[in-house]
């Protein structure tokens, strides 16, 4: 491809609106342009990369027996109502104003609607269906370029099986295909146990790329024997335990003490585990004739409540109580709430497992500026239930106490779910077994973000000059540069190398033939765009029958006789 005829609007400076590196570099390298918040136009260079990623994905999906579909983005409200997901997704779903349609954020419902009248016998199963298609999500903060777009390309696949054993097989096929896709895309990645969220289902696994640009927080061990999204991560920590004292609980005055830190300071203690932190959450009523449920959550004073774990127990919509709600339900403001003497007696009380049957606890008195000491959860709090509710902390040990946990930021590039029968039951997609008995189809769903793979790759492969492509997703293999564009014979010679030696397009080659661009500018653009092998044809080297090769990743420069250029380039393409 001749650069003179290929639209690559590179930018010299970092765009001010971009924060993360991949966003800056995709804009600067002329791969994408923003149309409006979270919505991008893909320019020719960007599109080449995205298509290459799609080719890899398609290849790996077909290799595990996937059938490629293409479903519409416009979908009827009614289909989402069947599974209740119009409400579950809430504001993330784009809703069309003048029709009863939504722009699909995912396609479980639509695929199930195709399965329902067609996969009706055990003989029709198993099936693996997929598409590579545009998704729409009204992301609240689309600020990292194509890492979090409001419109983006997803490969979504769905498996249909007769039973859970079948699902296990489909799921592990996808798992393996995902690992191939990310390896072939040049990513350093790992997988973690994950929360299933609005998808529902039993097990799910996310594929992560460690990066500061990531919005996920993951917990891993150095040997990777444990890896989990922090949303569901667990660790070993000694429980608070019982002292078995028979001290009665007793309120005491704590003027202006609002936080656990202030309370610990006031009491002159450093171990905050017996200072029970109380937080109030609201589970909104499902219909207008019902009341909201209130839940008081207790964790150790040095812990935080993990809201995803709460969602796992109470459903997606649970949220922290507002200040007015706290006051009316408990009788106090946030810093003085506790399990004893709540104004509203119907509030449900739950506590973290580390507090199981603990006594001699201190917590708020539900009266501003007062706390209560010697609370015994076993003796004083009726119907209390215990769950794992805490956020794991950096440096804690794994449950088996063998490994130290490290917390790091990561980008989620893929997510696979064992859905089970949530969608087939809701939409009545059933099959008949050998004996003519009806069963819901057992489903899995499997998603990958195409643009997110490209951006994650750039996060992991760049330097201060630009992107460093390699392997299958590089937009071109070779960047040929005519460094003396003003000299006719040099231009002729470089044209000849492009046409004859590289046979035009046989090796994917970008030829910077721009006649009126200074060499320094061309070199900078080449480093910015980041094609793995640069071949530079300049006057001095050419006089001696040589071309210069620069390896983008290492910066190494090699002089190669023209006779040997093709062979050398082929060799280097393999390596970089
Ligand atoms: P996130 O937690 O980052 O919002 P998600 O868990 O909602 O993502 P899934 O529903 O699991 O995403 O979607 C499957 C894949 O689609 C993700 O692993 C990711 O690669 C990609 N993806 C999801 N949302 C976006 C987005 N807003 N922009 C770009 N890619 C996305
Ligand atoms: Mg996900």
């Amino acid at each position: 491809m001749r650069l003179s005829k290929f639209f690559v609007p590179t930018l010299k400076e970092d765009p001010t609106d971009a924060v993360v590196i991949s966003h800056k570099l995709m804009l600067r390298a002329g791969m994408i342009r923003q149309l409006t918040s979270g919505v991008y136009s893909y320019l020719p260079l960007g599109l080449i990369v995205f298509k290459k990623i799609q080719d890899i994905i398609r290849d790996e999906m077909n290799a595990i027996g996937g059938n490629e579909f293409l479903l519409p983005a416009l979908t009827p409200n009614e289909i989402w109502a069947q599974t209740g997901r119009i409400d579950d997704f809430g504001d993330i779903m784009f809703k069309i104003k003048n029709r009863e349609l939504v722009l699909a954020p995912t396609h479980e419902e639509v695929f199930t609607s195709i399965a329902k009248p067609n996969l009706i016998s055990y003989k029709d199963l198993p099936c693996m269906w997929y598409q590579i298609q545009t998704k729409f999500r009204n992301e609240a903060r689309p600020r990292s370029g194509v890492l979090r777009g409001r419109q983006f390309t997803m490969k979504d696949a769905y498996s249909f099986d007769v039973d859970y054993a079948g699902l296990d097989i489909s799921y592990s096929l996808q798992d393996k295909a995902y690992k191939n896709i990310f390896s072939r895309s040049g990513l350093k990645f790992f997988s973690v146990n994950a929360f299933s969220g609005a998808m529902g289902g039993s097990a799910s696994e996310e594929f992560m790329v460690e990066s500061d640009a990531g919005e996920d927080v993951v917990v891993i061990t150095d040997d990777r024997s444990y890896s989990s999204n922090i949303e569901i991560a667990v660790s070993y920590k000694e429980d608070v335990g019982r002292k078995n004292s028979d001290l009665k609980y007793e309120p005491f005055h704590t003027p202006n003490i609002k936080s656990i830190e202030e309370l610990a300071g006031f009491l002159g203690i450093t171990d905050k585990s017996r200072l029970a932190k109380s937080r109030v959450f609201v589970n909104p009523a499902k219909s207008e004739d019902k009341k909201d449920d209130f839940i008081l959550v207790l964790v150790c004073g040095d812990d935080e409540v993990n809201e995803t774990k709460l969602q796992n127990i109470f459903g997606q919509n649970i949220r922290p109580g507002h200040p007015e709600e706290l006051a009316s339900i408990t009788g106090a403001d946030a810093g003085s709430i506790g399990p004893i003497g709540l104004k509203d007696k119907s509030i449900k009380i739950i506590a973290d497992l580390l507090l199981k049957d603990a006594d001699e606890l201190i917590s708020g008195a539900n009266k501003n500026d007062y706390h209560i000491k010697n609370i015994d959860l076993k003796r004083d709090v009726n119907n209390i239930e215990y769950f794992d509710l805490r956020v794991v902390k950096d440096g804690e040990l794994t449950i088996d106490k063998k490994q130290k946990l490290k917390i790091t930021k990561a980008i989620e590039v893929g997510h696979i779910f064992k859905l089970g029968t949530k969608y087939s039951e809701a939409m009545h997609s059933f099959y008949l077994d050998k004996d003519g008995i009806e069963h819901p189809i057992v489903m899995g769903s499997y998603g990958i973000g195409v643009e997110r793979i490209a951006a994650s790759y750039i996060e992991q492969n760049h330097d201060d000059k630009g992107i460093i492509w390699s392997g299958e997703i590089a937009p071109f293999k070779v960047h040929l540069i005519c460094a003396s564009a003003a000299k006719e014979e040099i231009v002729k010679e470089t044209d000849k190398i492009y046409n004859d030696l590289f046979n035009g397009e046989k090796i994917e080659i970008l030829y910077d033939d721009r006649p009126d661009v200074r060499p320094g500018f061309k070199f900078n653009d080449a480093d910015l765009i980041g094609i793995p092998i640069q071949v530079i044809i300049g006057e001095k080297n050419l006089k001696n029958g040589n071309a210069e090769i620069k390896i983008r990743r290492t910066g190494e420069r090699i002089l190669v006789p023209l006779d040997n250029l093709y062979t050398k380039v082929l060799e280097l393409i393999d390596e970089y």
Side-chain angles (χ1 to χ4, degrees):
M1 179 65 74
R2 284 175 179 270
L3 195 49
S4 62
K5 296 195 169 61
F6 191 53
F7 181 66
V8 188
T10 54
L11 305 172
K12 234 172 129 186
E13 306 292 337
D14 273 346
T16 49
D17 54 338
V19 185
V20 305
I21 304 234
S22 55
H23 188 194
K24 285 182 194 168
L25 288 176
M26 279 187 166
L27 288 168
R28 284 191 54 209
M31 293 175 68
I32 58 167
R33 285 293 182 267
Q34 181 178 296
L35 180 63
T36 183
S37 182
V39 181
Y40 290 85
S41 304
Y42 304 154
L43 310 191
L45 185 67
L47 188 61
I48 290 183
V49 173
F50 300 148
K51 279 188 170 168
K52 289 193 168 214
I53 294 170
Q54 293 186 21
D55 288 344
I56 295 173
I57 295 173
R58 190 170 281 117
D59 203 33
E60 294 293 338
M61 285 297 113
N62 293 344
I64 58 167
N67 287 189
E68 186 169 359
F69 286 60
L70 185 59
L71 304 187
L74 274 178
T75 58
N77 286 0
E78 191 267 325
I79 204 168
W80 300 93
Q82 286 178 40
T83 57
R85 285 217 291 181
I86 282 223
D87 295 333
D88 288 352
F89 272 112
D91 200 40
I92 203 103
M93 206 173 224
F94 280 108
K95 301 183 173 98
I96 307 289
K97 267 192 180 159
N98 57 349
R99 292 272 171 196
E100 293 292 302
L101 297 170
V102 299
L103 286 170
T106 177
H107 278 84
E108 278 76 9
E109 282 80 353
V110 184
F111 267 107
T112 309
S113 79
I114 296 170
K116 179 178 164 151
N118 294 295
L119 306 181
I120 50 177
S121 154
Y122 70 97
K123 289 182 196 152
D124 300 324
L125 301 167
C127 283
M128 186 77 84
W129 292 351
Y130 79 97
Q131 63 173 341
I132 301 173
Q133 188 262 4
T134 307
K135 297 283 183 277
F136 296 86
R137 293 184 182 183
N138 183 25
E139 300 282 357
R141 281 178 298 278
R143 59 192 161 173
S144 313
V146 296
L147 275 175
R148 184 169 296 288
R150 287 191 168 139
Q151 168 173 342
F152 61 96
T153 319
M154 195 199 286
K155 182 290 296 178
D156 44 327
Y158 305 83
S159 61
F160 302 87
D161 280 282
V162 290
D163 55 18
Y164 281 85
L167 171 60
D168 287 347
I169 294 170
S170 299
Y171 186 86
S172 63
L173 283 172
Q174 285 285 345
D175 185 68
K176 192 153 170 289
Y178 271 49
K179 287 176 177 147
N180 292 344
I181 290 165
F182 298 128
S183 301
R184 287 177 63 183
S185 301
L187 295 180
K188 294 191 254 330
F189 68 95
F190 56 95
S191 60
V192 301
N193 304 326
F195 174 59
S196 297
M199 294 296 168
S202 53
S204 91
E205 196 183 345
E206 285 167 336
F207 293 84
M208 294 287 186
V209 165
E210 196 171 348
S211 163
D212 276 343
E215 293 182 48
D216 278 84
V217 179
V218 295
V219 182
I220 47 178
T221 56
D222 281 338
D223 69 350
R224 298 290 149 91
S225 58
Y226 180 80
S227 55
S228 172
N229 196 307
I230 196 155
E231 294 179 337
I232 60 161
V234 292
S235 66
Y236 171 78
K237 197 181 168 200
E238 200 152 346
D239 56 19
V240 172
R242 278 187 82 72
K243 294 193 177 183
N244 274 321
S245 66
D246 46 13
L247 297 168
K248 291 278 161 291
Y249 69 74
E250 178 187 340
F252 62 105
H253 193 205
T254 48
N256 289 321
I257 301 298
K258 306 265 183 267
S259 68
I260 295 284
E261 279 64 39
E262 288 166 354
L263 183 61
F266 179 80
L267 298 169
I269 56 174
T270 48
D271 176 10
K272 299 183 200 124
S273 58
R274 283 196 133 74
L275 308 181
K277 186 181 283 178
S278 299
R279 291 192 58 196
V280 174
F281 287 83
V282 184
N283 205 8
K286 293 245 154 36
S287 58
E288 277 181 13
D289 54 327
K290 300 229 167 67
K291 272 178 49 198
D292 294 346
D293 286 332
F294 289 90
I295 298 137
L296 181 86
V297 181
L298 290 165
V299 293
C300 294
D302 48 1
D303 277 334
E304 297 300 331
V305 176
N306 182 326
E307 296 189 15
T308 310
K309 289 182 179 174
L310 277 184
Q311 284 181 29
N312 239 337
I313 304 164
F314 296 102
Q316 283 258 112
N317 297 326
I318 190 160
R319 60 161 176 87
H322 304 313
E324 327 78 70
E325 289 170 323
L326 301 195
S328 79
I329 290 294
T330 70
D333 298 330
S336 304
I337 292 172
I340 309 278
L342 288 154
K343 208 160 129 190
D344 181 339
K345 302 291 177 228
S346 70
I347 186 167
K348 183 177 180 59
I349 302 178
I350 64 170
D352 183 66
L353 285 172
L354 295 182
L355 288 170
K356 180 104 213 283
D357 296 340
D359 58 359
E360 290 196 21
L361 300 180
I362 301 178
S363 199
N366 298 312
K367 180 175 163 193
N368 283 349
D369 291 340
Y370 281 86
H371 279 76
I372 296 183
K373 60 182 173 189
N374 301 327
I375 299 171
D376 181 339
L377 292 184
K378 199 171 172 187
R379 178 191 64 195
D380 304 328
V381 185
N382 290 336
N383 301 326
I384 186 166
E385 281 187 72
Y386 296 95
F387 299 94
D388 169 34
L389 297 170
R390 61 186 291 273
V391 180
V392 164
K393 289 202 279 255
D394 195 70
E396 286 176 353
L397 296 180
T398 47
I399 291 282
D400 62 9
K401 297 193 242 174
K402 287 197 177 135
Q403 296 281 327
K404 206 170 181 174
L405 297 170
K406 182 179 104 177
I407 295 186
T408 179
K409 281 168 89 177
I411 302 168
E412 176 201 319
V413 282
H415 198 166
I416 59 178
F417 300 87
K418 287 187 184 173
L419 295 176
T421 57
K422 170 171 168 165
Y423 298 90
S424 47
E425 284 193 60
M427 298 179 68
H428 208 88
S429 179
F430 281 51
Y431 73 93
L432 296 177
D433 70 11
K434 278 195 186 84
D435 306 316
I437 299 168
E438 223 182 32
H439 304 277
I441 297 180
V442 181
M443 290 173 58
S445 95
Y446 316 90
I448 278 189
V450 172
E451 299 87 340
R452 216 182 254 192
I453 291 181
S456 302
Y457 177 89
I458 295 172
E459 289 293 333
Q460 289 187 330
N461 296 276
H462 67 268
D463 60 15
D464 55 353
K465 298 191 185 71
I467 304 170
I468 305 173
W469 294 111
S470 60
E472 278 188 70
I473 72 170
F476 296 92
K477 302 282 188 231
V478 178
H479 195 140
L480 176 65
I481 300 167
C482 177
S484 313
K487 298 257 161 71
E488 207 179 311
E489 65 281 12
I490 312 291
V491 173
K492 256 198 193 142
E493 194 58 39
T494 322
D495 273 354
K496 203 161 152 299
I497 291 171
Y498 175 64
N499 288 320
D500 300 350
L501 191 58
F502 290 113
N503 221 339
E505 304 293 325
K506 210 155 176 206
I507 294 180
E508 293 162 324
I509 178 164
L510 182 65
Y511 172 24
D512 194 344
D513 62 336
R514 292 176 294 179
D516 39 14
V517 175
R518 279 184 293 109
F521 207 90
K522 288 188 178 180
F523 298 147
N524 288 343
D525 269 359
D527 283 349
L528 174 61
I529 293 171
I531 292 161
I533 308 299
Q534 299 174 10
V535 175
I536 303 156
I537 309 297
E539 194 176 6
K540 215 177 87 204
N541 287 328
L542 201 58
K543 256 190 205 137
N544 302 322
N546 289 330
E548 187 183 29
I549 290 179
K550 180 180 160 189
I551 296 163
R552 173 64 183 92
R553 188 174 290 279
T554 60
E556 189 190 344
R557 290 170 187 273
I558 313 165
L559 271 188
V560 185
L562 288 180
D563 300 345
N564 197 25
L565 183 60
Y566 187 71
T567 326
K568 186 71 191 170
V569 165
L570 280 190
E571 200 179 287
L572 290 170
I573 287 175
D574 258 3
E575 199 173 337
Y576 294 95

